[in-house]
Amino acid sequence: EVLLVESGGGLVQPGRSLTLSCTASGFTFGDYPISWVRQAPGKGLEWVGFIRSEAYGGTTEYAASTKGRFTISRDDSKSITYLKINSLESDDTAVYYCTRDQEFDRSPLDYWGQGTLVTVSS
Amino acid sequence: DIQMTQSPSSLSASVGDRVTITCRASQGISSFLAWYQQKAGKAPKLLVFRVSRLQSGVPSRFSGSASGTDYTLSISNLQPEDSATYFCQQFYSSVRTFGQGTKVEIK
Protein backbone atom coordinates (compact mmCIF):
# COMPACT_ATOMS: atom_id res chain seq x y z
CA GLU A 1 0.00 0.00 0.00
CA VAL A 2 1.33 3.42 -0.99
CA LEU A 3 1.52 5.73 2.00
CA LEU A 4 2.73 9.30 2.35
CA VAL A 5 2.90 10.74 5.85
CA GLU A 6 3.66 14.39 6.45
CA SER A 7 5.04 15.75 9.70
CA GLY A 8 6.56 18.90 11.11
CA GLY A 9 3.59 21.25 11.03
CA GLY A 10 2.46 23.39 13.92
CA LEU A 11 2.29 26.96 15.18
CA VAL A 12 5.20 29.09 14.01
CA GLN A 13 5.97 32.77 14.45
CA PRO A 14 6.21 35.03 11.40
CA GLY A 15 9.73 35.32 10.07
CA ARG A 16 10.83 31.93 11.37
CA SER A 17 11.73 28.89 9.27
CA LEU A 18 10.10 25.48 9.22
CA THR A 19 10.92 22.15 7.62
CA LEU A 20 8.17 19.70 6.78
CA SER A 21 8.90 16.05 6.16
CA CYS A 22 7.10 13.48 4.05
CA THR A 23 7.88 9.84 4.71
CA ALA A 24 6.89 7.42 1.96
CA SER A 25 6.34 3.69 1.92
CA GLY A 26 4.82 1.02 -0.28
CA PHE A 27 6.66 1.93 -3.50
CA THR A 28 10.17 2.47 -4.86
CA PHE A 29 10.50 6.02 -3.62
CA GLY A 30 13.54 6.95 -5.70
CA ASP A 31 11.73 6.28 -8.97
CA TYR A 32 9.10 8.98 -8.50
CA PRO A 33 8.87 12.76 -8.49
CA ILE A 34 7.28 14.18 -5.34
CA SER A 35 5.16 17.32 -5.24
CA TRP A 36 3.93 19.55 -2.45
CA VAL A 37 0.50 21.17 -2.55
CA ARG A 38 -0.97 23.51 0.05
CA GLN A 39 -4.46 24.61 0.95
CA ALA A 40 -5.19 27.70 3.02
CA PRO A 41 -8.19 27.42 5.34
CA GLY A 42 -11.39 27.43 3.31
CA LYS A 43 -9.51 27.97 0.06
CA GLY A 44 -8.53 25.96 -3.00
CA LEU A 45 -5.46 23.92 -3.79
CA GLU A 46 -2.19 25.64 -4.58
CA TRP A 47 0.67 23.72 -6.18
CA VAL A 48 3.87 24.58 -4.29
CA GLY A 49 6.54 22.74 -6.25
CA PHE A 50 8.08 19.38 -6.97
CA ILE A 51 11.34 17.48 -7.11
CA ARG A 52 12.22 15.08 -9.89
CA SER A 53 13.73 11.69 -9.29
CA GLU A 54 17.51 11.44 -9.24
CA ALA A 55 17.34 9.66 -12.59
CA TYR A 56 16.12 12.98 -13.98
CA GLY A 57 18.59 15.08 -12.07
CA GLY A 58 16.65 15.52 -8.83
CA THR A 59 15.89 19.05 -10.00
CA THR A 60 13.11 21.18 -8.61
CA GLU A 61 10.38 23.46 -9.90
CA TYR A 62 8.39 25.97 -7.88
CA ALA A 63 5.29 28.07 -8.20
CA ALA A 64 6.01 31.76 -8.66
CA SER A 65 4.40 32.49 -5.30
CA THR A 66 6.80 30.16 -3.47
CA LYS A 67 10.00 30.56 -5.42
CA GLY A 68 12.83 31.90 -3.30
CA ARG A 69 11.52 31.04 0.16
CA PHE A 70 10.62 27.39 -0.39
CA THR A 71 13.11 24.57 -0.91
CA ILE A 72 12.25 20.97 -1.69
CA SER A 73 14.80 18.22 -1.21
CA ARG A 74 14.81 14.45 -0.99
CA ASP A 75 16.72 11.65 0.72
CA ASP A 76 16.07 8.50 -1.26
CA SER A 77 17.96 6.37 1.28
CA LYS A 78 15.28 7.24 3.84
CA SER A 79 12.31 7.62 1.45
CA ILE A 80 11.77 11.15 2.75
CA THR A 81 11.05 14.43 1.03
CA TYR A 82 11.50 17.76 2.77
CA LEU A 83 9.89 21.15 2.29
CA LYS A 84 11.75 24.00 3.95
CA ILE A 85 9.99 27.32 4.23
CA ASN A 86 11.97 30.41 5.16
CA SER A 87 10.71 33.77 6.42
CA LEU A 88 7.25 32.44 7.15
CA GLU A 89 4.34 34.80 6.49
CA SER A 90 0.74 34.66 7.64
CA ASP A 91 -0.28 33.77 4.07
CA ASP A 92 1.71 30.55 4.44
CA THR A 93 -0.91 29.29 6.92
CA ALA A 94 -2.26 26.17 5.24
CA VAL A 95 -2.48 22.42 5.22
CA TYR A 96 0.55 21.13 3.33
CA TYR A 97 0.13 17.92 1.35
CA CYS A 98 2.87 15.69 0.05
CA THR A 99 1.93 13.91 -3.17
CA ARG A 100 3.42 11.39 -5.56
CA ASP A 101 3.60 12.15 -9.24
CA GLN A 102 2.27 9.18 -11.17
CA GLU A 103 5.34 8.88 -13.35
CA PHE A 104 8.59 10.55 -14.24
CA ASP A 105 7.30 13.55 -16.15
CA ARG A 106 4.08 15.37 -16.93
CA SER A 107 1.90 13.28 -14.71
CA PRO A 108 -0.97 13.75 -12.26
CA LEU A 109 -0.75 13.35 -8.51
CA ASP A 110 -1.93 9.83 -7.82
CA TYR A 111 -1.30 9.51 -4.09
CA TRP A 112 -1.66 12.13 -1.37
CA GLY A 113 -0.69 12.27 2.26
CA GLN A 114 -3.16 13.30 4.93
CA GLY A 115 -1.59 16.75 5.21
CA THR A 116 0.06 18.70 8.00
CA LEU A 117 -1.24 22.05 9.22
CA VAL A 118 1.11 25.00 9.43
CA THR A 119 -0.19 28.04 11.31
CA VAL A 120 1.85 31.21 11.12
CA SER A 121 0.97 33.56 13.93
CA SER A 122 2.61 35.55 16.69
CA ASP B 1 2.21 30.49 -15.65
CA ILE B 2 -0.75 28.72 -17.21
CA GLN B 3 -4.03 29.85 -15.65
CA MET B 4 -6.88 27.39 -15.19
CA THR B 5 -10.31 29.03 -14.99
CA GLN B 6 -12.84 26.67 -13.49
CA SER B 7 -16.62 27.08 -13.53
CA PRO B 8 -19.02 27.12 -11.90
CA SER B 9 -17.69 27.77 -8.42
CA SER B 10 -20.57 25.80 -6.97
CA LEU B 11 -23.63 23.90 -8.06
CA SER B 12 -26.53 22.07 -6.48
CA ALA B 13 -28.15 19.08 -8.10
CA SER B 14 -30.37 16.15 -7.26
CA VAL B 15 -29.53 12.49 -7.00
CA GLY B 16 -29.63 10.98 -10.47
CA ASP B 17 -28.82 14.25 -12.26
CA ARG B 18 -25.94 14.80 -14.68
CA VAL B 19 -23.60 17.66 -13.85
CA THR B 20 -20.70 19.19 -15.73
CA ILE B 21 -17.73 21.21 -14.55
CA THR B 22 -15.46 23.07 -16.94
CA CYS B 23 -11.86 24.25 -16.83
CA ARG B 24 -10.45 26.60 -19.44
CA ALA B 25 -6.70 26.76 -19.85
CA SER B 26 -5.06 30.08 -20.72
CA GLN B 27 -3.01 28.29 -23.37
CA GLY B 28 -2.78 24.85 -24.94
CA ILE B 29 -1.99 22.06 -22.50
CA SER B 30 -2.16 19.12 -24.92
CA SER B 31 -4.59 17.14 -22.73
CA PHE B 32 -2.23 17.09 -19.77
CA LEU B 33 -5.11 17.65 -17.38
CA ALA B 34 -6.39 15.89 -14.29
CA TRP B 35 -9.46 16.14 -12.08
CA TYR B 36 -9.44 15.62 -8.33
CA GLN B 37 -12.22 15.14 -5.81
CA GLN B 38 -11.89 16.48 -2.28
CA LYS B 39 -14.38 15.60 0.41
CA ALA B 40 -14.67 17.72 3.52
CA GLY B 41 -11.69 17.34 5.82
CA LYS B 42 -9.94 14.87 3.53
CA ALA B 43 -7.03 14.92 1.14
CA PRO B 44 -7.87 15.21 -2.56
CA LYS B 45 -8.18 12.07 -4.64
CA LEU B 46 -7.26 11.63 -8.29
CA LEU B 47 -10.33 10.89 -10.42
CA VAL B 48 -9.48 11.43 -14.07
CA PHE B 49 -6.23 12.16 -15.92
CA ARG B 50 -5.14 12.82 -19.50
CA VAL B 51 -8.63 14.23 -20.01
CA SER B 52 -10.62 11.01 -19.93
CA ARG B 53 -8.68 8.21 -18.26
CA LEU B 54 -10.30 7.06 -15.03
CA GLN B 55 -8.03 6.34 -12.10
CA SER B 56 -8.37 2.81 -10.79
CA GLY B 57 -11.46 2.33 -8.66
CA VAL B 58 -13.26 5.46 -9.87
CA PRO B 59 -16.89 4.80 -10.83
CA SER B 60 -17.72 4.93 -14.52
CA ARG B 61 -20.30 7.68 -13.92
CA PHE B 62 -17.33 10.05 -13.92
CA SER B 63 -16.04 11.04 -17.35
CA GLY B 64 -13.88 13.69 -18.93
CA SER B 65 -13.72 15.39 -22.30
CA ALA B 66 -11.98 18.23 -24.05
CA SER B 67 -12.57 20.77 -26.77
CA GLY B 68 -9.68 23.04 -27.59
CA THR B 69 -8.55 24.57 -24.32
CA ASP B 70 -11.81 23.70 -22.54
CA TYR B 71 -11.85 20.57 -20.40
CA THR B 72 -14.98 19.09 -18.87
CA LEU B 73 -15.67 16.71 -16.01
CA SER B 74 -19.10 15.12 -16.11
CA ILE B 75 -20.81 13.17 -13.40
CA SER B 76 -23.82 11.20 -14.55
CA ASN B 77 -26.37 9.64 -12.21
CA LEU B 78 -25.21 11.86 -9.35
CA GLN B 79 -24.95 10.03 -6.04
CA PRO B 80 -24.97 11.37 -2.46
CA GLU B 81 -21.33 10.36 -2.03
CA ASP B 82 -20.38 12.67 -4.91
CA SER B 83 -20.89 15.68 -2.64
CA ALA B 84 -17.41 17.21 -2.69
CA THR B 85 -15.23 19.92 -4.20
CA TYR B 86 -13.68 19.15 -7.57
CA PHE B 87 -10.44 20.66 -8.87
CA CYS B 88 -8.78 20.54 -12.26
CA GLN B 89 -5.00 20.67 -12.65
CA GLN B 90 -2.77 21.09 -15.66
CA PHE B 91 0.52 19.21 -15.71
CA TYR B 92 1.66 20.31 -19.16
CA SER B 93 3.94 22.98 -17.77
CA SER B 94 6.72 22.25 -15.31
CA VAL B 95 4.91 24.80 -13.12
CA ARG B 96 1.63 23.05 -12.44
CA THR B 97 -1.57 24.96 -11.63
CA PHE B 98 -5.00 24.14 -10.25
CA GLY B 99 -8.39 25.54 -11.04
CA GLN B 100 -10.25 27.36 -8.27
CA GLY B 101 -12.53 24.44 -7.48
CA THR B 102 -16.24 23.60 -7.86
CA LYS B 103 -18.30 22.66 -4.85
CA VAL B 104 -20.99 20.11 -5.70
CA GLU B 105 -23.91 19.89 -3.32
CA ILE B 106 -26.70 17.35 -3.37
CA LYS B 107 -30.20 18.79 -3.00
Side-chain angles (χ1 to χ4, degrees):
Chain A
E1 180 190 10
V2 172
L3 283 177
L4 298 164
V5 179
E6 302 92 339
S7 59
L11 176 62
V12 189
Q13 292 181 327
R16 302 295 290 267
S17 296
L18 184 70
T19 298
L20 306 179
S21 301
C22 170
T23 303
S25 60
F27 65 101
T28 305
F29 179 77
D31 288 350
Y32 291 85
I34 300 293
S35 295
W36 286 88
V37 175
R38 68 180 180 178
Q39 186 170 35
K43 302 296 184 182
L45 302 174
E46 180 184 17
W47 183 83
V48 169
F50 83 112
I51 185 165
R52 297 178 177 88
S53 65
E54 287 300 328
Y56 290 88
T59 52
T60 52
E61 303 286 349
Y62 299 95
S65 60
T66 62
K67 204 169 186 178
R69 291 192 301 116
F70 287 55
T71 303
I72 299 172
S73 59
R74 63 190 299 157
D75 184 339
D76 290 351
S77 69
K78 297 180 180 177
S79 297
I80 297 178
T81 305
Y82 302 99
L83 173 65
K84 183 176 182 181
I85 312 172
N86 292 321
S87 303
L88 278 154
E89 306 168 352
S90 57
D91 285 349
D92 296 323
T93 293
V95 173
Y96 286 75
Y97 294 102
C98 164
T99 75
R100 189 187 83 165
D101 288 37
Q102 193 178 56
E103 54 188 21
F104 73 95
D105 191 23
R106 284 182 167 174
S107 61
L109 310 173
D110 62 351
Y111 287 94
W112 295 63
Q114 84 287 351
T116 187
L117 175 63
V118 173
T119 302
V120 182
S121 175
S122 54
Chain B
D1 294 352
I2 298 174
Q3 306 303 314
M4 302 301 296
T5 303
Q6 188 171 342
S7 61
S9 57
S10 65
L11 64 88
S12 182
S14 300
V15 171
D17 283 353
R18 177 182 177 89
V19 301
T20 60
I21 301 167
T22 298
C23 265
R24 173 167 291 175
S26 60
Q27 65 185 73
I29 57 171
S30 298
S31 300
F32 288 100
L33 182 110
W35 292 96
Y36 302 86
Q37 176 192 63
Q38 185 180 32
K39 296 187 177 180
K42 301 292 186 181
K45 167 190 167 185
L46 176 63
L47 287 180
V48 178
F49 60 100
R50 292 306 303 268
V51 178
S52 59
R53 295 176 62 179
L54 293 186
Q55 179 68 346
S56 175
V58 173
S60 59
R61 63 179 181 275
F62 290 91
S63 63
S65 63
S67 176
T69 57
D70 289 347
Y71 295 84
T72 299
L73 174 70
S74 298
I75 312 172
S76 60
N77 189 22
L78 193 69
Q79 296 298 302
E81 60 266 31
D82 300 334
S83 177
T85 302
Y86 295 83
F87 296 90
C88 65
Q89 183 214 15
Q90 65 80 18
F91 48 95
Y92 172 79
S93 165
S94 57
V95 176
R96 284 74 189 277
T97 44
F98 287 94
Q100 301 91 328
T102 297
K103 186 173 184 178
V104 174
E105 294 182 331
I106 310 298
K107 288 180 184 174

